[in-house]
Amino acid sequence: MTSSPAERVDVSVLVPVLNEEACIRETVAAMQAQRFDGTIEFLFMDGRSEDGTRPILEQLAAADPRIHVIDNPARSTPSALNAGLRHARGAYVARMDAHALYPPTYVSAGVERLRRGDVEWVSGPAIPEGNGRWSRLVSLALGTWLGVGGSRKWGGSDEIEVDTGVFAGVWERSTLERHEGWDEGWPANQDSELASRVIAGGGRIVCLPELGARYMPRDSLLGLARQYFRYGYYRAKTSRRHPASMRRSHLLPPGLVLALPAAVAGPGLLRTGARVALVVYLALVAAVSLRATRGKSSEAPGLTAVFVTMHASWGLGFLCGCVRFGPPLAALRRLPRG
């Protein structure tokens, strides 16, 4: 850390960073604008950035004693969060990401809800805002039921209770310490894995609309494919470790991927069924795309490509995760009962 005063603070904000030179000043400025009636510190865990991120953070830390920079040699997100938790001096802990802009009442609203009791984790919706062609189309996709995959974390006007589909959040520090922080075996999907442990321990997780954070989705199909492959890959691991975290909707993307070879080379009835399923899927995606783009013929094909990329990449990642970590048999057995 750049400095380590001994006194306690009310809230520690943990921010993993890696090569964020392009946006780090804007990110920090938004965090400094938090309106909170108490003491706060901002811990930036730098994964040994290779651009100008670290010097910028150290410059900002010299001007604001609330900012501290922590080394994260392992470079992964969960290792960064755990490093931040070890250094945190706050009774409450908030997680923020460098690629999102949080409302100025994010910390205060989260802490106030925790103080009212009966919950262990207060989260907010992730609000996609694209500024490039593909980024805008991904934002459109995530605003539809076909894009969010049944998750309820993407908005609404009232507090809702959520399962393992969470985005960042605010906790009492004692909650994170009781659950031993984030599991570093989850480079992705680490919040969902932690949420599974919190729920298994009897804790409740809520999503508040006033904690909604704006972020910019990937602006290329290749970047989107890589992102969703990782999501699916580690969702398979999460489902194996925590069977109760798996939903029926998680089976649809891998089913789509498996339908492709079955439609080409499967035996008679299986081949026919797979082809029918793929035709129905493409018709459904096309219909949702036309509706979401309000019939704009120039945008609907691109949105269709986004949907297919998201679903196929997630499904392929899930299947590869099943090969790597083993199939989530206990999760599959409990699905008919769930």
Side-chain angles (χ1 to χ4, degrees):
M1 296 177 66
T2 56
S3 61
S4 55
E7 67 272 11
R8 305 291 289 179
V9 297
D10 294 313
V11 179
S12 298
V13 178
L14 311 185
V15 190
V17 291
L18 176 64
N19 297 327
E20 311 289 356
E21 180 181 16
C23 63
I24 193 63
R25 290 187 185 275
E26 181 184 13
T27 297
V28 173
M31 293 175 182
Q32 289 172 311
Q34 287 294 308
R35 298 196 295 266
F36 177 67
D37 186 17
T39 53
I40 189 169
E41 65 177 358
F42 301 98
L43 307 181
F44 291 86
M45 292 73 67
D46 178 53
R48 300 191 172 177
S49 296
E50 297 163 349
D51 60 3
T53 299
R54 184 68 176 254
I56 292 172
L57 285 173
E58 290 175 345
Q59 180 185 41
L60 294 170
D64 187 342
R66 298 175 302 171
I67 296 175
H68 308 281
V69 185
I70 299 169
D71 190 35
N72 173 31
R75 309 192 81 187
S76 73
T77 298
S79 65
L81 292 168
N82 286 334
L85 183 59
R86 288 192 295 270
H87 285 78
R89 297 175 293 130
Y92 296 91
V93 172
R95 173 182 174 176
M96 293 185 177
D97 289 338
H99 291 289
L101 295 176
Y102 296 80
T105 56
Y106 186 87
V107 170
S108 60
V111 169
E112 189 277 332
R113 181 62 186 89
L114 287 171
R115 286 173 174 168
R116 281 162 44 198
D118 78 14
V119 301
E120 291 193 0
W121 187 332
V122 181
S123 66
I127 304 170
E129 290 188 358
N131 67 348
R133 179 184 181 233
W134 292 111
S135 184
R136 285 194 298 268
L137 290 174
V138 174
S139 297
L140 275 179
L142 292 172
T144 71
W145 65 271
L146 198 57
V148 301
S151 173
R152 298 190 296 168
K153 68 178 177 178
W154 296 102
S157 58
D158 301 309
E159 174 183 309
I160 58 172
E161 186 165 356
V162 294
D163 52 17
T164 61
V166 289
F167 176 71
V170 184
W171 308 260
E172 290 187 13
R173 176 177 172 166
S174 59
T175 296
L176 293 173
E177 291 178 336
R178 186 171 68 254
H179 290 285
E180 300 182 336
W182 288 265
D183 192 317
E184 297 185 18
W186 268 258
N189 209 233
Q190 65 276 157
D191 278 344
S192 292
E193 193 282 327
L194 175 58
S196 295
R197 286 185 275 135
V198 170
I199 292 172
R204 295 180 63 234
I205 304 173
V206 295
C207 178
L208 304 185
E210 58 265 37
L211 267 67
R214 296 179 288 116
Y215 80 100
M216 189 182 303
R218 299 293 195 277
D219 196 30
S220 73
L221 285 181
L222 180 58
L224 184 68
R226 289 172 176 167
Q227 177 186 21
Y228 273 75
F229 180 91
R230 281 168 56 86
Y231 286 169
Y233 188 79
Y234 285 100
R235 169 54 67 179
K237 186 176 182 180
T238 302
S239 297
R240 182 173 171 84
R241 172 77 66 86
H242 305 286
S245 70
M246 191 174 191
R247 299 195 303 269
R248 292 186 181 92
S249 60
H250 291 153
L251 298 179
L252 298 179
L256 169 67
V257 174
L258 292 174
L260 293 172
V264 174
L269 288 177
L270 179 61
R271 182 171 63 249
T272 299
R275 289 177 177 176
V276 169
L278 289 173
V279 169
V280 170
Y281 167 76
L282 291 174
L284 178 62
V285 168
V288 173
S289 297
L290 283 171
R291 182 173 182 179
T293 58
R294 299 178 181 177
K296 294 181 180 179
S297 58
S298 61
E299 292 187 355
L303 185 55
T304 298
V306 166
F307 279 126
V308 172
T309 299
M310 293 167 66
H311 298 157
S313 300
W314 197 100
L316 181 60
F318 188 90
L319 292 172
C320 289
C322 288
V323 173
R324 171 63 179 83
F325 306 113
L329 298 178
L332 292 171
R333 285 195 294 267
R334 68 174 299 279
L335 278 182
R337 303 193 302 272

